[in-house]
Each structure stands twice: as C-alpha cells, then as structure tokens.
Amino acid sequence: MPRMIFIENLYPKVDVTDLCKEFGKYGRILSAKIEYGKNFTSLGKGCICYFDSTSADIAVKKMNGKKTLGSALHVTVVQCEKQESHSEVSQIDHAKIFVNNLDFRWDDCDLIKIFELFGDIDEIKISTTDGKSNGYGFVKFSQPASATRAIKEMNNLPENERKLVVEPFIPWELREKPRQSLEFAKIHAVEWNNLHVKNLDIDMTEDDLKKLFQPFGSIISVKIPVDESGKSRGFGFVCFEKEEDAAKALDRMGNYRYKSKCLEVNFNQKKSARQKYLRAIKTDPQIRKFKGGKEIA
C-alpha cells in the first residue's frame, strides 16, 4: 500500500529532482513535492509518496538525521488520517494492472487467456479507437495478490515477437495532472540508469571507464565521444542495467580522483526531454528567476 513521508530542514536550492535522486534509492516513488512560499521560495519542506510502505519505512530509517540535502533532515511517515486525505493514495487500485505493447490484432478474449492463469478477473479491456486496438489495456483482478504475481511474471515477457509491459494501473488523474507540471518535466528529463561522467583524462579509453564503474553493477553500455581527430572530448556515458546501481555509482564516484583529475558525475539528461523541461520553465506561470533579490525576466 502506498505510504507518504514528510521531510523538513531541506536546503532552499533542493528541488523535486534532488528529492527523487536521493530518496529513489529506497523504492519506487509515485509522487514528490516541495513546499514553496511567496516568490517561489522554498520552505525547506517536502513530501514523497512511495509505492509501498516498506520503501517509506526504509527511507525514514536511512534519511532521518542525514545531512545530504539539508541540515540534519527530519523525516517522518505521514499519519494515516493525513495520508488518506491525499487522492494519490485513495485512488490507486492494487488489483488492477496496465498492459502495454500488445499485438494490435488482439481482443479482450486474447488478454483473458494470458492473464486468467493468475486469478479471477473482474474486468478486462483493450483500449480502442474507431474499433481498432491502441495496443494497450488493463486487467482488474478480484485480488491484489493476483495483480502482483501477474506483474512479476509477465512484465518484459516475449509474446508474439513483442515484449509485454505489465505495470500497476495508475488512474488517469494521477498520470496526466503531473505530466503538465514543471516538476514532471524536470524529473523525466533525467535518465536514472545512465551517468554522464565529465573531466575524464584525455587518454582514458572506454574499457578504462567501464572497469572503473563495473564494481557497482551490470553495465549495458559505455561511450566516450571523440572529436574529428579522434581524440576524447573529455566526457563519457556509463549506462547501468539497474537504476539503483547507477545511483550507488553516482554517490561513490562523484569527485573521485582518476590520474590527475577529479571526476564529475551526474545523471544524464536526454536532449529531447531536456528541451521539454526548458520549454516548461518558459511557460510555467509560477516560475520566476531572481538575482540579487530582484525578479528578472
């Protein structure tokens, strides 16, 4: 069951991306928020809603009193009566799953054949437009345990030359409202499993870079861009299979001295998503930039 935590004593410059980067190590985050006062000034407070209560409990244990994002953070679990007032918690149906990347020839009966093995089904539907499948749908089981097992066993499973995407069902209201916000744009500009490593030694090879980061987990790819003469441009990318491994490497390798230089490590930002984020800044009516205490354009 989702659970929310409350965080106090945050540095003024900490934003939602920083929160997700630090607290995302402990579990899947459904939503995150920073509280702001007048002139969009941070109040040093925030909250995070985790997908499950275990993640929230671990986050409180690990982060309470830690000085990573502020002066001795105060992290607590939101009480049930306060938590239930949040629509994010009350609207999530744990017996319902979202299924994507379906064969466009499939109908509801095909979906039933695949998922009835996991338990009794109350409702099933493939989304259509003008009678044609959109390639996704949902399945509502009688029991949440059936949904949990279906997600575990069917996600990324090959089916008719496609890999099914099977995830918890998040209501439209919770998915679309955040998508229109600046916070969503910033969070989704980041590739949480891909690290951007700067300040590389000019002679460093991709094999050297891979060996340096390999102790933290399985690596999908390593790339060091070169100029027209074939010389390193002084930065590279390390893409991990798991987000938690990338977060661990980021934590350990930031400012790590390699030969004569200190590495600068950050999560990579996709160019297209980064551009969306920059556009969101320009169009968000709440965003104001300040310099020397005065508002600037």
Side-chain angles (χ1 to χ4, degrees), residues 171-193:
W172 182 89
E173 295 84 356
L174 303 185
R175 287 182 286 112
E176 293 303 317
K177 187 176 180 181
R179 284 178 187 274
Q180 299 168 12
S181 70
L182 178 71
E183 291 179 355
F184 183 92
K186 187 167 185 178
I187 291 170
H188 287 263
V190 178
E191 294 180 302
W192 299 104
N193 68 323

Side-chain angles (χ1 to χ4, degrees), residues 32-260:
K33 183 180 179 181
I34 295 285
E35 292 186 17
Y36 292 95
K38 293 181 179 180
N39 299 327
F40 206 66
T41 303
S42 171
L43 299 177
K45 301 176 182 179
C47 59
I48 290 175
C49 182
Y50 281 102
F51 179 72
D52 58 82
S53 58
T54 301
S55 299
D57 292 339
I58 294 174
V60 170
K61 182 178 179 181
K62 296 284 188 180
M63 294 298 294
N64 190 41
K66 198 171 182 181
K67 297 182 179 180
T68 305
L69 300 176
S71 55
L73 296 182
H74 183 215
V75 186
T76 56
V77 172
V78 176
Q79 296 301 315
C80 293
E81 55 267 26
K82 184 176 180 182
Q83 181 172 318
E84 288 172 358
S85 68
H86 292 269
S87 61
E88 289 91 343
V89 175
S90 59
Q91 293 183 38
I92 296 175
D93 186 345
H94 298 285
K96 198 170 183 178
I97 62 173
F98 173 73
V99 188
N100 201 358
N101 207 26
L102 297 173
D103 189 313
F104 288 98
R105 296 169 296 181
W106 280 18
D107 57 21
D108 293 352
C109 292
D110 294 308
L111 208 54
I112 289 175
K113 290 177 184 177
I114 295 293
F115 288 96
E116 64 182 355
L117 303 175
F118 300 100
D120 294 335
I121 295 174
D122 291 343
E123 188 179 359
I124 198 162
K125 180 66 178 177
I126 290 180
S127 172
T128 60
T129 301
D130 297 330
K132 295 182 179 180
S133 170
N134 292 318
Y136 64 88
F138 70 85
V139 180
K140 178 174 171 53
F141 292 95
S142 299
Q143 299 296 328
S146 301
T148 300
R149 194 157 63 92
I151 292 170
K152 183 178 180 180
E153 296 187 22
M154 296 299 295
N155 189 40
N156 286 325
L157 190 73
E159 190 71 43
N160 284 10
E161 298 182 352
R162 293 169 175 261
K163 280 191 176 182
L164 295 182
V165 175
V166 185
E167 302 174 331
F169 180 84
I170 306 297
W172 182 89
E173 295 84 356
L174 303 185
R175 287 182 286 112
E176 293 303 317
K177 187 176 180 181
R179 284 178 187 274
Q180 299 168 12
S181 70
L182 178 71
E183 291 179 355
F184 183 92
K186 187 167 185 178
I187 291 170
H188 287 263
V190 178
E191 294 180 302
W192 299 104
N193 68 323
N194 194 12
L195 299 181
H196 183 200
V197 187
K198 295 195 291 185
N199 213 24
L200 298 180
D201 187 270
I202 199 71
D203 296 323
M204 191 174 201
T205 67
E206 291 179 352
D207 284 340
D208 293 332
L209 187 58
K210 184 174 182 179
K211 288 177 183 177
L212 197 59
F213 282 83
Q214 211 159 26
F216 301 102
S218 178
I219 293 175
I220 297 175
S221 64
V222 173
K223 178 68 176 177
I224 297 180
V226 296
D227 59 21
E228 294 179 355
S229 64
K231 292 183 178 180
S232 168
R233 296 175 63 185
F235 66 90
F237 304 93
V238 181
C239 185
F240 285 88
E241 183 177 340
K242 297 180 179 179
E243 293 179 1
E244 53 265 37
D245 293 337
K248 185 167 57 176
L250 174 68
D251 187 49
R252 300 281 185 84
M253 297 301 291
N255 293 320
Y256 178 85
R257 181 171 289 277
Y258 181 80
K259 293 187 177 180
S260 61

